[in-house]
Amino acid sequence: MEIAIIGSGYVGLVTGVCLAHIGHTVTCVDNNPEKVRKLKAGEVPIYEPGLEPLMHKYSKMKRLNFSSSIEAATKKATVIFIAVGTPSKKNGDADLTYIENVARAIARNMDSYKLLVEKSTVPVQTGNRIERTVALNLPAKFRRGNKCLVEFDVASNPEFLREGSAVEDFMNPDRIVIGVKSRRAEQLLREVYAPLKARLVVTNVATAEMIKHASNSFLATKISFINSVAQICDRVGADVLSVAEGMGYDRRIGRAFLNAGIGYGGSCFPKDVDAFVRLAEKSGYDFKLLKGVRDVNEQQKASFIHLIEDKLWIIKDKTIAIWGLAFKADTDDMRRAASIDIIQALQEEGARVQAFDPKAMDNARHELKGVKFCADAYAAAKGADCLLVLTEWEEFKRLDLKRVRGLLRQAVVFDGRNFFDDKLFVDLGFEYHGIGRGRGAHAS
Ligand code: NAD
Ligand code: UGA
């Protein structure tokens, strides 16, 4: 099938590459000329495990093409996925400017039936908005009064992939949700995904949009729940890791997303929780539970900073080593990473920060000023008064901790991800602080 993807970022590019992998011919469009130039030259603009070899393979076979022209891509394809950004506005609403721009551009270039598919995460009812925008922007020859003389459909097909395992998630989804209004749209999307042999959930458009709101918000709720439990664990001498394990064996609960830490970050949970709270508000419902989820997430960072202040005493002029900046492991993405808030708070108190991240340092340079970016984890530790682990990069587990011990001025570790076995540090004479481990700052 001829498919176009508008927006070639973390989701659009992975979707395009994976759809080529399962046999379609795909054009990935982006309006950032530098991005398109890189993609055409075979450069992958993001770090995503497994993406590069597939991208090269299908580009060479011409099953995957890159373009900056929505016009050409619209004319060629029947199915057009919209995967542009939907960032937060100041008031928490999703900013749908890019979605509207794309809907207009597609409409102006439509000359035969098209299926527009929302891949971006959008508030419920956006499907109706896109439909109206397309109708209003069709070329004059295709409009008579309120009537459209060219057929089109708008469908919702929310994406559930995670950064860091995006290719794997796309190729092996737990489910594929398609929200459609017509048999034709359903049939086309069934054809697109047929090679994946995945479970399909077919609904109307609003329900599919709602599934995405609810899924991300539920996952964020699990994280804030376990973070709250961790707070109490620290106060009463219980260990949140064992609590999560003990809860997780219950199949109704599950162990996933019960990792306590410095709070969720990234380009999705913070923005999508905000958007769902706002949507609920506009529909006349006060979503108190989700507001609580958001508050707990903010508190979690504040409490981590408080723990550091408590143990380091004076922050001014102390040198703080950071391992990991990305919002999670296996990505270079710094969008709304918890590390940003934590580092900025410590800098405001006068700390000097020296950091290392295996993949996110280029992006981090845009977000963080006054940080010394180091060549490796050892260089970051050199002469520091404490070490913060802010991202759970597997390679940190292979470091020589004895050497790290010798490099630090004070052997104090704050493991914001409960990533390390605390014993490893303690046996080497470090003071180790995890999150909710019951032996931390507040335990007595
Ligand atoms: P992104 O910023 O990485 O990518 C968006 C791309 O769209 C950018 O490259 C931008 O240049 C391009 N773009 C903007 N306007 C355009 C236009 N008019 N024409 C062509 N291209 C245009 O964002 P992302 O992380 O890929 O997220 C995209 C959407 O997918 C968001 O709604 C997000 O919530 C959702 N989503 C993201 C993830 C994730 O893990 N990142 C997962 C599921 C869903
Ligand atoms: C998340 C969802 O998991 C995807 O299903 C969804 O498609 C995506 O958002 C989206 O809509 O964009 P992503 O943000 O890439 O994916 O990464 P996650 O693995 O979900 O992690 C999000 C944040 O939560 C990270 O900061 C991570 O460190 C944190 N987290 C995750 C925890 O603190 N504890 C956990 O147990 C799990």
Side-chain angles (χ1 to χ4, degrees):
M1 205 182 272
E2 275 282 354
I3 294 174
I5 317 262
I6 316 298
S8 307
Y10 285 87
V11 166
L13 183 59
V14 171
T15 303
V17 167
C18 291
L19 289 178
H21 186 51
I22 62 173
H24 303 294
T25 302
V26 183
T27 305
C28 287
V29 178
D30 206 283
N31 67 350
N32 177 337
E34 179 56 15
K35 198 173 265 189
V36 175
R37 186 199 62 74
K38 278 190 177 168
L39 289 166
K40 282 185 168 172
E43 281 175 57
V44 185
I46 54 170
Y47 173 71
E48 189 56 55
L51 187 61
E52 192 168 347
L54 290 180
M55 187 181 119
H56 288 162
K57 180 174 173 190
Y58 297 108
S59 298
K60 265 201 198 115
M61 290 168 68
K62 301 276 177 232
R63 282 235 295 271
L64 182 63
N65 306 290
F66 301 103
S67 165
S68 43
S69 165
I70 289 197
E71 293 81 344
T74 300
K75 295 220 155 89
K76 218 161 77 175
T78 308
V79 180
I80 306 169
F81 285 88
I82 303 175
V84 294
T86 50
S88 286
K89 289 194 208 166
K90 276 210 175 81
N91 66 3
D93 281 343
D95 181 349
L96 300 176
T97 313
Y98 303 133
I99 298 275
E100 187 188 47
N101 288 345
V102 169
R104 280 185 173 157
I106 294 172
R108 288 186 193 125
N109 292 285
M110 262 169 61
D111 52 8
S112 58
Y113 173 84
K114 303 289 167 192
L115 170 60
L116 283 74
V117 187
E118 296 169 352
K119 194 51 135 171
S120 302
T121 301
V122 290
V124 70
Q125 300 297 351
T126 301
N128 292 338
R129 294 281 178 186
I130 295 178
E131 202 173 310
R132 186 171 151 74
T133 303
V134 171
L136 288 173
N137 287 275
L138 286 172
K141 62 178 176 186
F142 290 132
R143 258 188 90 81
R144 193 148 308 138
N146 279 340
K147 257 194 155 178
C148 299
L149 304 182
V150 60
E151 279 184 83
F152 68 93
D153 274 303
V154 177
S156 164
N157 170 223
E159 183 50 60
F160 300 101
L161 63 78
R162 290 161 299 171
E163 289 177 24
S165 54
V167 174
E168 173 69 20
D169 289 348
F170 192 96
M171 297 307 297
N172 302 290
D174 290 336
R175 78 304 204 186
I176 292 170
V177 174
I178 55 179
V180 285
K181 233 173 138 174
S182 76
R183 289 283 306 166
R184 187 175 190 176
E186 178 182 340
Q187 208 43 48
L188 277 169
L189 282 170
R190 280 184 183 278
E191 269 174 54
V192 168
Y193 286 114
L196 287 182
K197 301 194 174 20
R199 177 185 295 134
L200 279 189
V201 179
V202 182
T203 69
N204 63 30
V205 176
T207 305
E209 292 167 337
M210 190 57 121
I211 289 171
K212 181 64 186 173
H213 281 299
S215 300
N216 271 12
S217 295
F218 187 76
L219 291 171
T221 304
K222 273 189 102 173
I223 299 170
S224 279
F225 183 85
I226 201 67
N227 280 335
S228 295
V229 171
Q231 288 289 336
I232 306 168
C233 283
D234 264 338
R235 289 163 172 80
V236 300
D239 183 357
V240 75
L241 283 184
S242 304
V243 173
E245 186 191 357
M247 289 169 67
Y249 286 128
D250 186 326
R251 272 169 296 169
R252 294 168 304 171
I253 299 173
R255 174 64 183 79
F257 280 71
L258 289 180
N259 295 324
I262 46 178
Y264 58 77
S267 67
C268 296
F269 285 172
K271 119 177 132 60
D272 294 345
V273 166
D274 280 350
F276 203 18
V277 166
R278 286 286 296 164
L279 180 94
E281 236 163 56
K282 286 188 205 158
S283 78
Y285 180 71
D286 182 8
F287 206 150
K288 291 202 174 95
L289 175 65
L290 214 46
K291 287 179 176 171
V293 165
R294 196 166 56 181
D295 291 347
V296 168
N297 201 53
E298 288 311 306
Q299 271 171 24
Q300 202 62 15
K301 284 178 272 190
S303 119
F304 187 65
I305 293 160
H306 179 70
L307 174 69
I308 298 164
E309 289 165 345
D310 188 37
K311 298 297 169 192
L312 273 199
W313 189 23
I314 312 292
I315 300 290
K316 191 169 181 310
D317 294 333
K318 290 260 164 68
T319 300
I320 298 189
I322 310 275
W323 284 358
L325 295 164
F327 84 99
K328 61 179 282 191
D330 294 325
T331 179
D332 60 352
D333 200 344
M334 280 298 294
R335 290 177 290 181
R336 292 179 81 165
S339 64
I340 298 173
D341 294 340
I342 292 164
I343 289 171
Q344 285 175 345
L346 294 169
Q347 283 178 323
E348 265 168 42
E349 290 191 55
R352 283 187 295 270
V353 175
Q354 43 193 51
F356 171 72
D357 186 286
K359 297 287 176 199
M361 289 205 290
D362 282 347
N363 288 334
R365 278 179 231 276
H366 302 295
E367 305 276 352
L368 291 161
K369 299 290 159 231
V371 169
K372 183 177 165 198
F373 293 100
C374 300
D376 60 29
Y378 296 114
K382 196 162 180 230
D385 295 285
C386 72
L387 166 67
L388 314 190
V389 180
L390 300 186
T391 313
E392 68 286 20
W393 285 98
E394 211 44 52
E395 65 178 70
F396 293 158
K397 286 210 169 136
R398 295 191 288 274
L399 292 167
D400 175 355
L401 295 183
K402 210 165 165 189
R403 182 173 163 201
V404 175
R405 170 85 175 80
L407 288 167
L408 287 165
R409 187 149 53 196
Q410 300 187 133
V412 183
V413 179
F414 299 91
D415 182 354
R417 301 287 186 167
N418 287 339
F419 181 56
F420 283 97
D421 178 352
D422 52 345
K423 275 229 225 61
L424 286 177
F425 280 104
V426 174
D427 290 351
L428 285 169
F430 283 83
E431 188 180 295
Y432 174 92
H433 304 281
I435 308 280
R437 308 301 306 278
R439 293 175 282 247
H442 315 290
S444 54

